[in-house]
């Protein structure tokens, strides 16, 4: 889409950057309030949890929650709690992924990864407790007055992040290192590993907003295509951008012998695939008209970002 | 209490052994049904989750759920789901505790620990997914028809197992290695590390059974003292029993330079403390009369067990 940039595209990109930045700050403040420092010998655990979740990240998952929730008129404070919760879940997965026994990565968001800043034991435990906190926040009465909404959120997050979602995808990813996976298996891997949580974030906003079944289906389709587009673009960035641009180690996929969208489709093919998915994600939003402008801009952004 | 064994004690010990064994089998079958093997590349994850949770363990936490639930007339199938869930949460904590970066333990329940049977990455991920499954099971409509009961269970488990509970206690434990902790800090450590989940298990049965506030308070007090008695007895066993008897490495506390009830009170003093707590736990059950016979027998068992 970078071929035909219009004035309206530039305006919406600027509006998105501002909107993303504002949401990121509000989500950051919400996490900060939900994880206050504590006294006592266990204070280092909270320090590690805060290090892993605060001070960085685009907050795309949290932004998805707040923007979808706003379409359906959900309470903004509730949406921020759910946004903070999904960012904690995401942070736990990054902390554990970076461990020496997993991806063994020393760098995350341009800073030492959690096990380098603290130690391995604290990184394992901080990740564990961040997962627990994510569920605790969803179940709390402050998130929504209706317990049925809260259990729906807990169930959706568990399905997206557990063995049949994110963690299952991570296992397929590890098992696939050093051998060629066909495209349909790479698609399934990413639908689980990164796609499920991104789709959940969109759906969580719809759950909070008591969206109708048809509106939920549209948001589901949007989240699914956005998540895949994001991952395809991520593969392109991993193959083309520098570590400085990424704020994390570059060229990891090739070094690990992983099958990626780039190894299967080539860089141009992967870029084309990302554009196609981004456009299809936008198409799912037709019924929401102007209310979905920020979600459309986000779908454009994920395939054009440089980090 | 081994000084004055009566015929009634022997009868109740036999009844408890039978009751514990039956419950352990029913809980095992429930976990088996909740974690069916799957096809695909992620099957090894489910295998590791099943290895970590099935085929061993006394199921004391699960037993607590089912026995307390029975006192209040809760549905038995619901109680078994909650019992399976707390055993999964407990198993996740053992899998992560055994990792090289934590206690570095090769033996668990007489078998190789999960990271020895599989590998470190799979042990980290299986623990992660077991935690997720525990919350997913609680939030599921099959656990209880009332969403308010389900969110209450999720909240109670999160509080017992997260930074302000089990994981927080684990951090205090790690930080305390190699230096002397006073008795009040050792009490706090164990109230968090092992006590919180045992207390939760008892309380979960009361939540499922819609117990009154005063009955819940009695169960809370029972669970608190039972959990501490269990840990004090555990310290005695670690100092006195063989690895063969324990099914896990013995003498770990002293080797790690940990302050324990035994290092602080001596073996006889720790045994006396365990008996005192066990009796106080039983005292909390007075209002339940004969319905609490198995809970009384359990309080006696935890301080007399040999493994």
């Amino acid at each position: 889409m970078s071929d035909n940039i219009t004035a309206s595209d530039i305006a919406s990109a600027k509006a998105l950057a501002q909107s993303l930045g504002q949401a990121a700050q509000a989500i950051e403040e919400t996490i900060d309030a939900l994880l206050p420092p504590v006294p006592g010998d266990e204070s280092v655990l909270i320090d590690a949890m805060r290090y892993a979740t605060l001070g960085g990240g685009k907050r795309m998952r949290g932004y998805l929650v707040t923007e979808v929730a706003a379409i359906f008129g959900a309470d903004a404070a509730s949406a921020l709690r759910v946004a903070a919760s999904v960012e904690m879940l995401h942070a736990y997965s990054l902390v554990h992924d970076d461990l020496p026994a997993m991806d063994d990565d020393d760098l995350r968001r341009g800073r030492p990864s959690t096990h380098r800043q603290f130690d391995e034991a604290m990184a394992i435990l901080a990740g564990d407790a961040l997962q627990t906190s994510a569920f605790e926040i969803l179940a709390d009465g402050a998130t929504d007055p209706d317990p049925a909404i809260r259990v729906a959120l807990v169930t959706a997050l568990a399905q997206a992040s557990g063995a049949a979602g994110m963690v299952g995808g991570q296992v397929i990813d590890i098992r696939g290192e050093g051998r060629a996976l066909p495209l349909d298996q790479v698609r399934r891997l990413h639908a689980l590993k990164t796609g499920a949580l991104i789709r959940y974030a969109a759906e969580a906003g719809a759950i909070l907003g008591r969206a109708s079944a048809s509106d939920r289906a549209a948001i589901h389709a949007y989240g699914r295509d956005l998540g895949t587009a994001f991952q395809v673009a991520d593969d392109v960035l991993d193959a083309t951008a520098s570590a400085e641009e990424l704020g994390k180690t570059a060229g990891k996929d090739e070094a690990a012998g992983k099958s990626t969208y780039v190894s299967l489709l080539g860089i141009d093919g992967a870029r084309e695939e990302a554009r196609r998915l981004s456009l299809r994600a936008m198409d799912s939003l037709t019924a929401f008209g102007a209310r979905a402008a920020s979600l459309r801009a986000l779908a454009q952004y994920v395939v054009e970002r440089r980090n």
Side-chain angles (χ1 to χ4, degrees), chain A:
Chain A
M1 276 162 286
S2 53
D3 307 333
N4 296 295
I5 296 174
T6 66
S8 132
D9 286 340
I10 293 169
S12 79
K14 278 190 182 163
L16 177 72
Q18 191 174 24
S19 172
L20 253 175
Q22 283 169 351
Q25 193 182 333
I27 293 165
E28 189 96 357
E29 287 165 7
T30 307
I31 296 171
D32 179 66
L34 287 166
L35 291 176
V38 299
D41 260 5
E42 68 272 35
S43 62
V44 63
L45 173 70
I46 308 290
D47 293 344
M49 293 167 75
R50 292 173 59 85
Y51 180 83
T53 46
L54 293 169
K58 292 178 288 291
R59 309 296 185 194
M60 183 184 70
R61 292 158 191 80
Y63 183 71
L64 267 174
V65 176
T66 61
E67 294 309 292
V68 174
I71 287 181
F72 299 108
D75 178 70
S78 294
L80 278 174
R81 288 178 60 91
V82 177
S85 150
V86 72
E87 292 291 343
M88 286 186 200
L89 198 298
H90 178 54
Y92 122 66
S93 77
L94 300 181
V95 171
H96 283 189
D97 279 4
D98 286 342
L99 286 167
M102 308 270 285
D103 287 355
D104 193 14
D105 215 317
D106 292 346
L107 196 60
R108 170 68 63 184
R109 292 174 182 161
R111 302 187 303 171
S113 46
T114 303
H115 68 277
R116 296 292 294 174
Q117 182 71 17
F118 294 83
D119 60 29
E120 273 189 64
M122 211 52 62
I124 294 167
L125 292 167
D128 288 346
L130 281 170
Q131 178 179 182
T132 319
S133 290
F135 288 111
E136 187 173 0
I137 290 162
L138 294 182
D140 190 294
T143 295
D144 193 284
D146 183 352
I149 294 290
R150 276 134 59 199
V151 287
L153 291 167
V154 169
T155 298
L157 180 60
Q159 288 173 348
S161 68
M166 183 185 79
V167 173
Q170 173 72 2
V171 170
I172 302 173
D173 197 21
I174 290 173
R175 306 282 285 187
E177 285 180 14
R179 64 194 177 96
L181 296 181
L183 185 59
D184 61 339
Q185 282 191 40
V186 169
R187 283 192 205 281
R188 177 158 183 272
L189 185 173
H190 290 305
L192 296 176
K193 188 183 172 188
T194 54
L197 197 62
I198 292 173
R199 203 179 59 232
Y200 157 79
E203 290 186 318
I207 292 171
L208 263 186
R210 279 78 169 162
S212 68
S214 66
D215 283 352
R216 267 186 74 162
I219 292 295
H220 176 100
Y222 167 79
R224 181 198 61 210
D225 289 335
L226 181 81
T228 312
F230 175 84
Q231 185 58 50
V232 178
D234 217 52
D235 284 2
V236 173
L237 282 172
D238 185 81
T240 59
S242 69
E244 196 179 349
E245 284 175 296
L246 291 181
K248 59 182 180 183
T249 311
K252 280 163 61 179
D253 296 336
E254 195 179 346
K258 286 184 183 177
S259 299
T260 69
Y261 288 106
V262 169
S263 72
L264 288 159
L265 303 172
I267 286 182
D268 287 345
R271 284 201 172 115
E272 186 48 47
E273 173 79 351
R275 284 195 197 99
R276 186 184 68 79
L277 289 161
S278 168
L279 288 171
R280 200 169 73 177
M282 292 186 211
D283 280 347
S284 299
L285 301 172
T286 307
F288 307 118
R291 287 181 299 155
S294 64
L295 295 180
R296 277 189 202 90
L298 183 65
Q300 186 157 347
Y301 163 77
V302 297
V303 299
E304 291 176 357
R305 68 204 162 92
R306 299 302 308 155
N307 61 57

